[in-house]
Amino acid sequence: MASLKSKVSYSCSNNTNSVPFYLSSFCKKVVTQIRFPNTTISPPKLQLQALGKARAKVLLSAKMAAGTVNEVLPPPLDSSSEPPPVFDGTTRLYISYTCPYAQRVWITRNCKGLQDKIKLVPIDLQNRPAWYKEKVYSANKVPSLEHNNEVKGESLDLIKYIDSHFEGPSLFPHDPDKKEFAEELLSYTDTFNKAVISSFKGDGNEAGAAFDYIETALSKFGDGPFFLGQFSLVDIAYAPFIERFQPFSLEVKKYDIIAGRPNLAAWIKEMDKNDAYKQTRREPKELVEIYKKRFTAHL
């Protein structure tokens, strides 16, 4: 026989309808009677169930922002793949799993806890689909971000865009001195990359000076091991490249980039602890092989 049970609901004032009931001081308790056939669920249990679901959502968001949620990565799309339903309201990040520029934006997405807000769409750059250039991004390169019926590109622009236009922890400093130094370091990334790549090609020995610049930059602020003391977009901008330069320099060039550079060594160690970053990393052997193929004529 069905039994009468109390149903607890809450009505809110002062525009607090979107606030979970356990966080709102404006909610008043309303008790009604509902029937649960052959079931006994007390009002306190109903409250605990609702509370548990709300806390689970908060916990999931926190885990995503901390990078502790390991998502299942989709397979890359190639020339035989159908295009996604572009401009259907879904926010998409088009990447390649092996592209350091795309990795910057991927890391930013993970650090902001946006795994459920920004969908990854990996592209096979060796066999890229024609629709990517025709329907998504005419520059035909990655990364690109589809958001609000627009597609934007350029990795340094995108990491700033995601940081400022989406929820999650801020990854850019508010302190004027740190903000100014951040812009200086972001502007230096291309110079840094070109100097190291040139040394790989045998066109000069500028890599040492480039890594010395990084070592000095890491000593500017003493409130943490990162470029601005605390973790920021600057660390994200450099991490994918140093991730590649270190194993290739050591194995192929017999050059240890952290020798005599304790700040750089400490930075790499701290970055290796970052779960949001670790989820985007490739095996060092794979990266070395990619660089060997790229620079084989110069070795």
Side-chain angles (χ1 to χ4, degrees), residues 95-104 106 125 142-143 240 244 282:
I95 66 167
S96 163
Y97 288 136
T98 59
C99 173
Y101 296 96
Q103 189 181 357
R104 284 172 167 171
W106 184 8
L125 296 182
V142 293
R244 288 156 174 78
R282 312 297 293 183

Side-chain angles (χ1 to χ4, degrees), residues 5 24 49 51 56 73 87 101-104 147 149 163 187-188 203-204 217 220 224 233 239 249 255 263 287 293:
K5 301 296 175 185
S24 176
Q49 287 177 343
L51 182 61
L73 300 179
F87 303 132
Y101 296 96
Q103 189 181 357
R104 284 172 167 171
H147 182 235
N149 294 319
D163 187 44
S187 297
Y188 180 72
D203 296 336
K220 185 173 179 64
L233 292 180
S249 295
Y255 177 64
N263 294 326
L287 298 177
K293 291 178 181 178

Side-chain angles (χ1 to χ4, degrees), residues 150-197:
E150 293 181 344
V151 176
K152 305 176 184 295
E154 299 303 327
S155 63
L156 292 180
D157 293 336
L158 288 181
I159 63 176
K160 289 182 178 181
Y161 181 85
I162 289 177
D163 187 44
S164 61
H165 285 77
F166 291 85
E167 61 188 27
S170 176
L171 298 171
F172 205 71
H174 298 292
D175 177 85
D177 291 337
K178 289 190 175 184
K179 185 177 292 186
E180 181 181 358
F181 193 52
E183 294 294 352
E184 177 185 326
L185 289 171
L186 291 175
S187 297
Y188 180 72
T189 55
D190 283 345
T191 301
F192 171 73
N193 294 336
K194 288 176 182 177
V196 179
I197 294 297

